[in-house]
PDB file of all heavy atoms in Angstrom:
ATOM      1  N   ARG A 110      93.991 162.841 -98.126  1.00 98.00           N
ATOM      2  CA  ARG A 110      95.204 162.478 -98.879  1.00 98.00           C
ATOM      3  C   ARG A 110      96.137 163.669 -98.994  1.00 98.00           C
ATOM      4  O   ARG A 110      97.351 163.557 -98.791  1.00 98.00           O
ATOM      5  CB  ARG A 110      94.822 162.064-100.314  1.00 98.00           C
ATOM      6  CG  ARG A 110      94.518 160.614-100.489  1.00 98.00           C
ATOM      7  CD  ARG A 110      94.374 160.327-101.991  1.00 98.00           C
ATOM      8  NE  ARG A 110      93.327 159.363-102.230  1.00 98.00           N
ATOM      9  CZ  ARG A 110      93.458 158.060-102.031  1.00 98.00           C
ATOM     10  NH1 ARG A 110      94.590 157.569-101.588  1.00 98.00           N
ATOM     11  NH2 ARG A 110      92.456 157.249-102.259  1.00 98.00           N
ATOM     12  N   GLU A 111      95.558 164.831 -99.355  1.00 97.00           N
ATOM     13  CA  GLU A 111      96.381 166.038 -99.543  1.00 97.00           C
ATOM     14  C   GLU A 111      97.119 166.404 -98.263  1.00 97.00           C
ATOM     15  O   GLU A 111      98.238 166.899 -98.310  1.00 97.00           O
ATOM     16  CB  GLU A 111      95.497 167.221 -99.965  1.00 97.00           C
ATOM     17  CG  GLU A 111      95.136 167.209-101.432  1.00 97.00           C
ATOM     18  CD  GLU A 111      94.020 168.193-101.760  1.00 97.00           C
ATOM     19  OE1 GLU A 111      93.717 169.068-100.918  1.00 97.00           O
ATOM     20  OE2 GLU A 111      93.434 168.067-102.864  1.00 97.00           O
ATOM     21  N   ARG A 112      96.485 166.193 -97.130  1.00 97.00           N
ATOM     22  CA  ARG A 112      97.124 166.533 -95.850  1.00 97.00           C
ATOM     23  C   ARG A 112      98.019 165.400 -95.365  1.00 97.00           C
ATOM     24  O   ARG A 112      98.604 165.500 -94.286  1.00 97.00           O
ATOM     25  CB  ARG A 112      96.083 166.922 -94.812  1.00 97.00           C
ATOM     26  CG  ARG A 112      95.548 168.332 -95.098  1.00 97.00           C
ATOM     27  CD  ARG A 112      94.735 168.956 -94.015  1.00 97.00           C
ATOM     28  NE  ARG A 112      95.344 169.106 -92.708  1.00 97.00           N
ATOM     29  CZ  ARG A 112      94.960 170.038 -91.823  1.00 97.00           C
ATOM     30  NH1 ARG A 112      94.011 170.894 -92.134  1.00 97.00           N
ATOM     31  NH2 ARG A 112      95.516 170.095 -90.636  1.00 97.00           N
ATOM     32  N   GLY A 113      98.099 164.313 -96.118  1.00 97.00           N
ATOM     33  CA  GLY A 113      99.035 163.244 -95.762  1.00 97.00           C
ATOM     34  C   GLY A 113      98.492 162.220 -94.783  1.00 97.00           C
ATOM     35  O   GLY A 113      99.258 161.514 -94.122  1.00 97.00           O
ATOM     36  N   CYS A 114      97.166 162.114 -94.691  1.00 98.00           N
ATOM     37  CA  CYS A 114      96.582 161.144 -93.759  1.00 98.00           C
ATOM     38  C   CYS A 114      96.765 159.724 -94.289  1.00 98.00           C
ATOM     39  O   CYS A 114      96.640 159.474 -95.485  1.00 98.00           O
ATOM     40  CB  CYS A 114      95.096 161.416 -93.564  1.00 98.00           C
ATOM     41  SG  CYS A 114      94.784 163.009 -92.780  1.00 98.00           S
ATOM     42  N   ALA A 115      97.037 158.787 -93.375  1.00 97.00           N
ATOM     43  CA  ALA A 115      97.210 157.385 -93.753  1.00 97.00           C
ATOM     44  C   ALA A 115      95.919 156.607 -93.608  1.00 97.00           C
ATOM     45  O   ALA A 115      95.783 155.506 -94.156  1.00 97.00           O
ATOM     46  CB  ALA A 115      98.284 156.736 -92.873  1.00 97.00           C
ATOM     47  N   VAL A 116      94.977 157.158 -92.879  1.00 97.00           N
ATOM     48  CA  VAL A 116      93.718 156.448 -92.663  1.00 97.00           C
ATOM     49  C   VAL A 116      92.600 157.470 -92.468  1.00 97.00           C
ATOM     50  O   VAL A 116      92.836 158.574 -91.952  1.00 97.00           O
ATOM     51  CB  VAL A 116      93.845 155.473 -91.457  1.00 97.00           C
ATOM     52  CG1 VAL A 116      94.120 156.206 -90.160  1.00 97.00           C
ATOM     53  CG2 VAL A 116      92.639 154.571 -91.308  1.00 97.00           C
ATOM     54  N   VAL A 117      91.428 157.109 -92.954  1.00 98.00           N
ATOM     55  CA  VAL A 117      90.214 157.898 -92.711  1.00 98.00           C
ATOM     56  C   VAL A 117      89.337 157.055 -91.801  1.00 98.00           C
ATOM     57  O   VAL A 117      89.177 155.847 -92.029  1.00 98.00           O
ATOM     58  CB  VAL A 117      89.458 158.206 -94.015  1.00 98.00           C
ATOM     59  CG1 VAL A 117      88.245 159.099 -93.737  1.00 98.00           C
ATOM     60  CG2 VAL A 117      90.382 158.860 -95.028  1.00 98.00           C
ATOM     61  N   GLN A 118      88.785 157.656 -90.754  1.00 98.00           N
ATOM     62  CA  GLN A 118      87.965 156.876 -89.831  1.00 98.00           C
ATOM     63  C   GLN A 118      86.715 157.646 -89.440  1.00 98.00           C
ATOM     64  O   GLN A 118      86.689 158.877 -89.453  1.00 98.00           O
ATOM     65  CB  GLN A 118      88.768 156.488 -88.592  1.00 98.00           C
ATOM     66  CG  GLN A 118      89.271 157.662 -87.771  1.00 98.00           C
ATOM     67  CD  GLN A 118      90.172 157.216 -86.619  1.00 98.00           C
ATOM     68  OE1 GLN A 118      90.840 156.181 -86.695  1.00 98.00           O
ATOM     69  NE2 GLN A 118      90.194 157.990 -85.541  1.00 98.00           N
ATOM     70  N   LEU A 119      85.678 156.887 -89.125  1.00 98.00           N
ATOM     71  CA  LEU A 119      84.422 157.478 -88.676  1.00 98.00           C
ATOM     72  C   LEU A 119      83.649 156.392 -87.959  1.00 98.00           C
ATOM     73  O   LEU A 119      83.933 155.196 -88.090  1.00 98.00           O
ATOM     74  CB  LEU A 119      83.620 158.026 -89.872  1.00 98.00           C
ATOM     75  CG  LEU A 119      83.302 157.033 -90.984  1.00 98.00           C
ATOM     76  CD1 LEU A 119      81.976 156.314 -90.723  1.00 98.00           C
ATOM     77  CD2 LEU A 119      83.225 157.764 -92.309  1.00 98.00           C
ATOM     78  N   THR A 120      82.675 156.812 -87.166  1.00 98.00           N
ATOM     79  CA  THR A 120      81.753 155.847 -86.584  1.00 98.00           C
ATOM     80  C   THR A 120      80.340 156.280 -86.938  1.00 98.00           C
ATOM     81  O   THR A 120      80.084 157.474 -87.149  1.00 98.00           O
ATOM     82  CB  THR A 120      81.886 155.735 -85.046  1.00 98.00           C
ATOM     83  OG1 THR A 120      81.363 156.912 -84.426  1.00 98.00           O
ATOM     84  CG2 THR A 120      83.322 155.522 -84.613  1.00 98.00           C
ATOM     85  N   THR A 121      79.457 155.292 -87.028  1.00 97.00           N
ATOM     86  CA  THR A 121      78.045 155.631 -87.219  1.00 97.00           C
ATOM     87  C   THR A 121      77.237 154.768 -86.263  1.00 97.00           C
ATOM     88  O   THR A 121      77.612 153.637 -85.957  1.00 97.00           O
ATOM     89  CB  THR A 121      77.553 155.367 -88.660  1.00 97.00           C
ATOM     90  OG1 THR A 121      77.490 153.947 -88.868  1.00 97.00           O
ATOM     91  CG2 THR A 121      78.449 155.979 -89.691  1.00 97.00           C
ATOM     92  N   ASP A 122      76.145 155.323 -85.808  1.00 96.00           N
ATOM     93  CA  ASP A 122      75.240 154.620 -84.903  1.00 96.00           C
ATOM     94  C   ASP A 122      74.842 153.282 -85.525  1.00 96.00           C
ATOM     95  O   ASP A 122      74.589 153.201 -86.733  1.00 96.00           O
ATOM     96  CB  ASP A 122      74.008 155.503 -84.680  1.00 96.00           C
ATOM     97  CG  ASP A 122      73.178 155.043 -83.502  1.00 96.00           C
ATOM     98  OD1 ASP A 122      72.585 153.939 -83.598  1.00 96.00           O
ATOM     99  OD2 ASP A 122      73.123 155.747 -82.490  1.00 96.00           O
ATOM    100  N   LYS A 123      74.778 152.230 -84.698  1.00 97.00           N
ATOM    101  CA  LYS A 123      74.470 150.896 -85.238  1.00 97.00           C
ATOM    102  C   LYS A 123      73.084 150.830 -85.867  1.00 97.00           C
ATOM    103  O   LYS A 123      72.810 149.940 -86.672  1.00 97.00           O
ATOM    104  CB  LYS A 123      74.604 149.844 -84.135  1.00 97.00           C
ATOM    105  CG  LYS A 123      76.046 149.631 -83.735  1.00 97.00           C
ATOM    106  CD  LYS A 123      76.296 148.350 -82.966  1.00 97.00           C
ATOM    107  CE  LYS A 123      77.803 148.226 -82.737  1.00 97.00           C
ATOM    108  NZ  LYS A 123      78.193 146.971 -82.126  1.00 97.00           N
ATOM    109  N   ARG A 124      72.214 151.785 -85.521  1.00 95.00           N
ATOM    110  CA  ARG A 124      70.868 151.782 -86.119  1.00 95.00           C
ATOM    111  C   ARG A 124      70.867 152.305 -87.553  1.00 95.00           C
ATOM    112  O   ARG A 124      69.886 152.142 -88.259  1.00 95.00           O
ATOM    113  CB  ARG A 124      69.931 152.644 -85.252  1.00 95.00           C
ATOM    114  CG  ARG A 124      69.650 152.011 -83.898  1.00 95.00           C
ATOM    115  CD  ARG A 124      68.984 152.998 -82.958  1.00 95.00           C
ATOM    116  NE  ARG A 124      69.925 154.005 -82.478  1.00 95.00           N
ATOM    117  CZ  ARG A 124      69.609 155.005 -81.638  1.00 95.00           C
ATOM    118  NH1 ARG A 124      68.360 155.136 -81.196  1.00 95.00           N
ATOM    119  NH2 ARG A 124      70.525 155.871 -81.240  1.00 95.00           N
ATOM    120  N   ARG A 125      71.931 152.948 -87.991  1.00 93.00           N
ATOM    121  CA  ARG A 125      71.957 153.549 -89.334  1.00 93.00           C
ATOM    122  C   ARG A 125      72.404 152.517 -90.367  1.00 93.00           C
ATOM    123  O   ARG A 125      73.503 152.605 -90.909  1.00 93.00           O
ATOM    124  CB  ARG A 125      72.914 154.738 -89.356  1.00 93.00           C
ATOM    125  CG  ARG A 125      72.561 155.869 -88.396  1.00 93.00           C
ATOM    126  CD  ARG A 125      73.435 157.098 -88.707  1.00 93.00           C
ATOM    127  NE  ARG A 125      73.458 158.085 -87.656  1.00 93.00           N
ATOM    128  CZ  ARG A 125      72.540 159.024 -87.463  1.00 93.00           C
ATOM    129  NH1 ARG A 125      71.493 159.099 -88.263  1.00 93.00           N
ATOM    130  NH2 ARG A 125      72.651 159.891 -86.474  1.00 93.00           N
ATOM    131  N   LYS A 126      71.545 151.562 -90.676  1.00 94.00           N
ATOM    132  CA  LYS A 126      71.919 150.474 -91.591  1.00 94.00           C
ATOM    133  C   LYS A 126      72.235 150.994 -92.995  1.00 94.00           C
ATOM    134  O   LYS A 126      73.141 150.486 -93.664  1.00 94.00           O
ATOM    135  CB  LYS A 126      70.800 149.426 -91.663  1.00 94.00           C
ATOM    136  CG  LYS A 126      70.468 148.767 -90.319  1.00 94.00           C
ATOM    137  CD  LYS A 126      71.641 147.972 -89.748  1.00 94.00           C
ATOM    138  CE  LYS A 126      71.275 147.306 -88.429  1.00 94.00           C
ATOM    139  NZ  LYS A 126      72.467 146.870 -87.678  1.00 94.00           N
ATOM    140  N   ASP A 127      71.488 151.997 -93.455  1.00 93.00           N
ATOM    141  CA  ASP A 127      71.763 152.561 -94.783  1.00 93.00           C
ATOM    142  C   ASP A 127      73.168 153.176 -94.825  1.00 93.00           C
ATOM    143  O   ASP A 127      73.885 153.040 -95.821  1.00 93.00           O
ATOM    144  CB  ASP A 127      70.751 153.660 -95.126  1.00 93.00           C
ATOM    145  CG  ASP A 127      69.374 153.088 -95.424  1.00 93.00           C
ATOM    146  OD1 ASP A 127      69.229 151.843 -95.441  1.00 93.00           O
ATOM    147  OD2 ASP A 127      68.450 153.892 -95.631  1.00 93.00           O
ATOM    148  N   ALA A 128      73.539 153.838 -93.731  1.00 94.00           N
ATOM    149  CA  ALA A 128      74.874 154.456 -93.668  1.00 94.00           C
ATOM    150  C   ALA A 128      75.960 153.382 -93.732  1.00 94.00           C
ATOM    151  O   ALA A 128      76.993 153.578 -94.371  1.00 94.00           O
ATOM    152  CB  ALA A 128      75.015 155.285 -92.396  1.00 94.00           C
ATOM    153  N   HIS A 129      75.706 152.242 -93.105  1.00 96.00           N
ATOM    154  CA  HIS A 129      76.718 151.176 -93.124  1.00 96.00           C
ATOM    155  C   HIS A 129      76.956 150.699 -94.555  1.00 96.00           C
ATOM    156  O   HIS A 129      78.094 150.538 -94.991  1.00 96.00           O
ATOM    157  CB  HIS A 129      76.283 150.014 -92.233  1.00 96.00           C
ATOM    158  CG  HIS A 129      76.014 150.434 -90.809  1.00 96.00           C
ATOM    159  ND1 HIS A 129      75.365 149.652 -89.904  1.00 96.00           N
ATOM    160  CD2 HIS A 129      76.320 151.588 -90.155  1.00 96.00           C
ATOM    161  CE1 HIS A 129      75.279 150.292 -88.747  1.00 96.00           C
ATOM    162  NE2 HIS A 129      75.844 151.467 -88.877  1.00 96.00           N
ATOM    163  N   ARG A 130      75.873 150.507 -95.293  1.00 97.00           N
ATOM    164  CA  ARG A 130      76.028 150.092 -96.698  1.00 97.00           C
ATOM    165  C   ARG A 130      76.750 151.163 -97.506  1.00 97.00           C
ATOM    166  O   ARG A 130      77.576 150.871 -98.372  1.00 97.00           O
ATOM    167  CB  ARG A 130      74.644 149.801 -97.306  1.00 97.00           C
ATOM    168  CG  ARG A 130      74.098 148.427 -96.921  1.00 97.00           C
ATOM    169  CD  ARG A 130      72.823 148.086 -97.689  1.00 97.00           C
ATOM    170  NE  ARG A 130      71.705 148.919 -97.267  1.00 97.00           N
ATOM    171  CZ  ARG A 130      70.880 148.614 -96.248  1.00 97.00           C
ATOM    172  NH1 ARG A 130      71.042 147.505 -95.569  1.00 97.00           N
ATOM    173  NH2 ARG A 130      69.892 149.430 -95.936  1.00 97.00           N
ATOM    174  N   PHE A 131      76.421 152.418 -97.213  1.00 97.00           N
ATOM    175  CA  PHE A 131      77.032 153.545 -97.922  1.00 97.00           C
ATOM    176  C   PHE A 131      78.553 153.567 -97.708  1.00 97.00           C
ATOM    177  O   PHE A 131      79.332 153.636 -98.673  1.00 97.00           O
ATOM    178  CB  PHE A 131      76.373 154.845 -97.440  1.00 97.00           C
ATOM    179  CG  PHE A 131      77.025 156.102 -97.911  1.00 97.00           C
ATOM    180  CD1 PHE A 131      77.041 156.424 -99.267  1.00 97.00           C
ATOM    181  CD2 PHE A 131      77.614 156.986 -97.015  1.00 97.00           C
ATOM    182  CE1 PHE A 131      77.635 157.594 -99.713  1.00 97.00           C
ATOM    183  CE2 PHE A 131      78.219 158.151 -97.443  1.00 97.00           C
ATOM    184  CZ  PHE A 131      78.228 158.454 -98.797  1.00 97.00           C
ATOM    185  N   TYR A 132      78.995 153.474 -96.457  1.00 98.00           N
ATOM    186  CA  TYR A 132      80.437 153.525 -96.188  1.00 98.00           C
ATOM    187  C   TYR A 132      81.138 152.282 -96.738  1.00 98.00           C
ATOM    188  O   TYR A 132      82.262 152.349 -97.227  1.00 98.00           O
ATOM    189  CB  TYR A 132      80.701 153.721 -94.693  1.00 98.00           C
ATOM    190  CG  TYR A 132      80.258 155.091 -94.237  1.00 98.00           C
ATOM    191  CD1 TYR A 132      79.263 155.262 -93.291  1.00 98.00           C
ATOM    192  CD2 TYR A 132      80.828 156.237 -94.796  1.00 98.00           C
ATOM    193  CE1 TYR A 132      78.840 156.540 -92.900  1.00 98.00           C
ATOM    194  CE2 TYR A 132      80.413 157.507 -94.421  1.00 98.00           C
ATOM    195  CZ  TYR A 132      79.427 157.649 -93.474  1.00 98.00           C
ATOM    196  OH  TYR A 132      79.009 158.901 -93.102  1.00 98.00           O
ATOM    197  N   ASP A 133      80.451 151.160 -96.657  1.00 98.00           N
ATOM    198  CA  ASP A 133      80.968 149.933 -97.249  1.00 98.00           C
ATOM    199  C   ASP A 133      81.222 150.127 -98.754  1.00 98.00           C
ATOM    200  O   ASP A 133      82.267 149.734 -99.282  1.00 98.00           O
ATOM    201  CB  ASP A 133      79.934 148.824 -97.017  1.00 98.00           C
ATOM    202  CG  ASP A 133      80.494 147.461 -97.299  1.00 98.00           C
ATOM    203  OD1 ASP A 133      81.398 147.035 -96.568  1.00 98.00           O
ATOM    204  OD2 ASP A 133      80.043 146.827 -98.278  1.00 98.00           O
ATOM    205  N   SER A 134      80.294 150.780 -99.426  1.00 97.00           N
ATOM    206  CA  SER A 134      80.409 150.976-100.884  1.00 97.00           C
ATOM    207  C   SER A 134      81.545 151.929-101.238  1.00 97.00           C
ATOM    208  O   SER A 134      82.013 151.956-102.369  1.00 97.00           O
ATOM    209  CB  SER A 134      79.090 151.494-101.459  1.00 97.00           C
ATOM    210  OG  SER A 134      78.935 152.879-101.183  1.00 97.00           O
ATOM    211  N   LEU A 135      81.976 152.725-100.255  1.00 97.00           N
ATOM    212  CA  LEU A 135      83.090 153.655-100.482  1.00 97.00           C
ATOM    213  C   LEU A 135      84.442 153.004-100.164  1.00 97.00           C
ATOM    214  O   LEU A 135      85.481 153.657-100.277  1.00 97.00           O
ATOM    215  CB  LEU A 135      82.912 154.904 -99.612  1.00 97.00           C
ATOM    216  CG  LEU A 135      81.905 155.938-100.132  1.00 97.00           C
ATOM    217  CD1 LEU A 135      81.412 156.822 -98.995  1.00 97.00           C
ATOM    218  CD2 LEU A 135      82.524 156.798-101.230  1.00 97.00           C
ATOM    219  N   GLY A 136      84.409 151.738 -99.736  1.00 98.00           N
ATOM    220  CA  GLY A 136      85.662 151.030 -99.467  1.00 98.00           C
ATOM    221  C   GLY A 136      86.043 150.977 -98.004  1.00 98.00           C
ATOM    222  O   GLY A 136      87.085 150.406 -97.653  1.00 98.00           O
ATOM    223  N   PHE A 137      85.233 151.571 -97.138  1.00 98.00           N
ATOM    224  CA  PHE A 137      85.520 151.504 -95.703  1.00 98.00           C
ATOM    225  C   PHE A 137      85.264 150.082 -95.193  1.00 98.00           C
ATOM    226  O   PHE A 137      84.338 149.406 -95.656  1.00 98.00           O
ATOM    227  CB  PHE A 137      84.602 152.456 -94.917  1.00 98.00           C
ATOM    228  CG  PHE A 137      84.973 153.899 -94.999  1.00 98.00           C
ATOM    229  CD1 PHE A 137      84.576 154.672 -96.087  1.00 98.00           C
ATOM    230  CD2 PHE A 137      85.707 154.509 -93.986  1.00 98.00           C
ATOM    231  CE1 PHE A 137      84.907 156.018 -96.168  1.00 98.00           C
ATOM    232  CE2 PHE A 137      86.044 155.845 -94.060  1.00 98.00           C
ATOM    233  CZ  PHE A 137      85.643 156.607 -95.151  1.00 98.00           C
ATOM    234  N   ALA A 138      86.053 149.657 -94.207  1.00 98.00           N
ATOM    235  CA  ALA A 138      85.843 148.368 -93.542  1.00 98.00           C
ATOM    236  C   ALA A 138      85.273 148.615 -92.146  1.00 98.00           C
ATOM    237  O   ALA A 138      85.792 149.453 -91.395  1.00 98.00           O
ATOM    238  CB  ALA A 138      87.160 147.620 -93.425  1.00 98.00           C
ATOM    239  N   ALA A 139      84.223 147.884 -91.799  1.00 98.00           N
ATOM    240  CA  ALA A 139      83.604 148.010 -90.467  1.00 98.00           C
ATOM    241  C   ALA A 139      84.385 147.140 -89.493  1.00 98.00           C
ATOM    242  O   ALA A 139      83.889 146.147 -88.973  1.00 98.00           O
ATOM    243  CB  ALA A 139      82.143 147.596 -90.529  1.00 98.00           C
TER     244      ALA A 139
END
Side-chain angles (χ1 to χ4, degrees):
Chain A
R110 271 189 217 283
E111 280 167 14
R112 285 192 58 155
C114 296
V116 63
V117 183
Q118 62 185 28
L119 56 89
T120 72
T121 71
D122 195 293
K123 290 197 175 186
R124 291 168 287 180
R125 300 191 196 277
K126 300 297 181 196
D127 288 356
H129 303 166
R130 280 188 291 272
F131 171 65
Y132 292 118
D133 193 66
S134 77
L135 281 158
F137 284 83

